[in-house]
Amino acid sequence: EIKNAMAAAGRLKSVPGNHFRPEVCVVRSERGDDILSATFSSDANTVIFPWQLMQMEMSGVPYDLHDLHDVMNREELQDYKMYVFLHTAELSRVERRKIEQLKKAGKMLVFLYNSGWFDEVGGGESGNITDLTSFPVSSEPHYGRASALLQKHPLTTGLNPLISGGDLLLSMLAVRGMSPHYQAYQVFRIKEAKPDEILARYTDGSIAAAIRGNVVYSAAPFSLSAGLFHRLAERAGAFCVAAPGQSIHMNGSFISLHGTTPGDCILNLPSGVNQVTDLFSGENFQIKNGKFTLKVKNGESYWLMMSNS
């Protein structure tokens, strides 16, 4: 298998790549772990991020993951169609002004959990999040739990239920009853939003997620599901390679797909691609209107080479 994989990689390297860059940028900050709004935040790289990034990987939306400092200071990283602020608990006043410029440029901005809770001046303030999102936000100064449920909205119709990082850990480590191991987190709530803006509510009825114009705030920790991520990317006009459900990585010349849902998977191709070849079997797929269909088996992986023949 290693020999076959090396041979396939060699065939891929011999083909000129097609220029392609995702149109969605996920943003994280190296300062995020300095602010603990959840008991497992210090384990972000081993607990929280794998869960949230796994959802994004299953969304059918190609994305780039960049550091906040780079996005704020490099012009070529400021022309994505959609930005997801994943782990940005502290945003300086300068960074907030630059984010406001992205908003005015029509970019879709998605803020998760405690994004912007702190600035460089002092402690956490609900008003800091309100300034970013335009939604009035409240928070209790202690750890708690608040499970979020999707509400009826064009962006949520037919999607799987939300499950946040904290809920995931509770279900893994304490199926029944209390446990000292599950995540406790600071609960953020949206105090007010119009009915047609509400995407999710907590089980106590308070608002957990909402959209206003091109800005989304999801207050539950790391609760951006694969389906909602895909819907928001579509709304932003960003390129989506497939419907949610398969594990997909891609660049301009290569698609790696691991099957998690059996059946036909329709894949969209970047502009200019007119040939797709299975790197193991040598099969060429029939392309029609910039799409092709892959018959996916659960648990199998596929390496697909794209080219401009």
Side-chain angles (χ1 to χ4, degrees):
E1 289 182 357
I2 294 174
K3 180 180 178 181
N4 290 338
M6 291 180 66
R11 290 192 292 274
L12 177 66
K13 289 174 67 176
S14 67
V15 176
N18 179 54
H19 177 72
F20 168 79
R21 194 182 82 169
E23 295 177 321
V24 174
C25 180
V26 177
V27 185
R28 60 170 294 180
S29 170
E30 74 281 1
R31 306 192 305 269
D33 286 340
D34 295 338
I35 299 167
L36 300 182
S37 293
T39 55
F40 279 0
S41 287
S42 58
D43 286 331
N45 289 321
T46 57
V47 179
I48 295 174
F49 284 146
W51 157 248
Q52 182 60 85
L53 294 178
M54 179 174 63
Q55 286 292 301
M56 294 178 176
E57 178 184 311
M58 300 282 290
S59 69
V61 180
Y63 67 90
D64 286 337
L65 179 63
H66 283 296
D67 184 79
L68 173 67
H69 178 270
D70 292 335
V71 173
M72 296 293 99
N73 291 281
R74 292 170 53 183
E75 288 187 9
E76 72 273 19
L77 300 183
Q78 296 172 9
D79 61 355
Y80 290 89
K81 293 183 177 179
M82 174 171 151
Y83 292 83
V84 179
F85 292 87
L86 171 65
H87 192 45
T88 53
E90 180 190 332
L91 293 171
S92 71
R93 294 181 180 182
V94 171
E95 290 165 344
R96 292 168 192 270
R97 287 196 293 269
K98 291 183 178 181
I99 290 171
E100 186 64 26
Q101 292 173 3
L102 294 176
K103 185 190 303 184
K104 290 180 179 178
K107 313 297 186 181
M108 174 74 77
L109 305 181
V110 182
F111 298 97
L112 301 184
Y113 189 45
N114 62 357
S115 288
W117 175 238
F118 277 73
D119 58 24
E120 75 273 36
V121 176
E125 297 287 346
S126 298
N128 289 338
I129 298 178
T130 300
D131 289 343
L132 282 173
T133 67
S134 78
F135 291 110
V137 175
S138 66
S139 183
E140 298 84 9
H142 54 75
Y143 288 149
R145 288 187 59 81
S147 298
L149 302 174
L150 288 175
Q151 301 298 293
K152 186 177 181 180
H153 189 280
L155 285 169
T156 64
T157 301
L159 295 185
N160 291 329
L162 289 176
I163 178 168
S164 70
D167 295 314
L168 174 75
L169 288 167
L170 177 63
S171 64
M172 289 170 57
L173 302 176
V175 176
R176 186 174 301 168
M178 299 294 289
S179 165
H181 301 292
Y182 73 80
Q183 185 182 11
Y185 46 86
Q186 183 179 0
V187 179
F188 292 88
R189 290 181 169 85
I190 298 173
K191 294 195 293 186
E192 184 180 345
K194 297 177 182 178
D196 61 354
E197 296 175 332
I198 299 172
L199 300 176
R201 289 184 182 274
Y202 293 118
T203 51
D204 65 4
S206 58
I207 303 170
I211 181 171
R212 178 171 292 165
N214 59 337
V215 175
V216 176
Y217 177 50
S218 183
F222 305 99
S223 58
L224 186 59
S225 67
L228 185 55
F229 184 45
H230 186 97
R231 294 272 177 88
L232 293 172
E234 285 186 322
R235 182 170 178 136
F239 174 81
C240 299
V241 64
Q246 311 293 353
S247 172
I248 302 176
H249 292 271
M250 68 172 291
N251 58 28
S253 58
F254 180 60
I255 296 176
S256 169
L257 185 150
H258 183 73
T260 59
T261 303
D264 289 349
C265 178
I266 299 174
L267 290 107
N268 303 306
L269 296 173
S271 176
V273 173
N274 54 27
Q275 181 171 310
V276 178
T277 305
D278 188 303
L279 276 168
F280 290 114
S281 70
E283 176 188 359
N284 288 318
F285 294 90
Q286 183 177 0
I287 298 172
K288 185 176 181 180
N289 298 324
K291 306 174 186 287
F292 73 99
T293 300
L294 178 69
K295 295 186 180 297
V296 176
K297 293 183 179 179
N298 192 34
E300 290 199 5
S301 296
Y302 305 84
W303 284 13
L304 308 172
M305 179 176 66
M306 300 179 288
S307 59
N308 306 333
S309 60

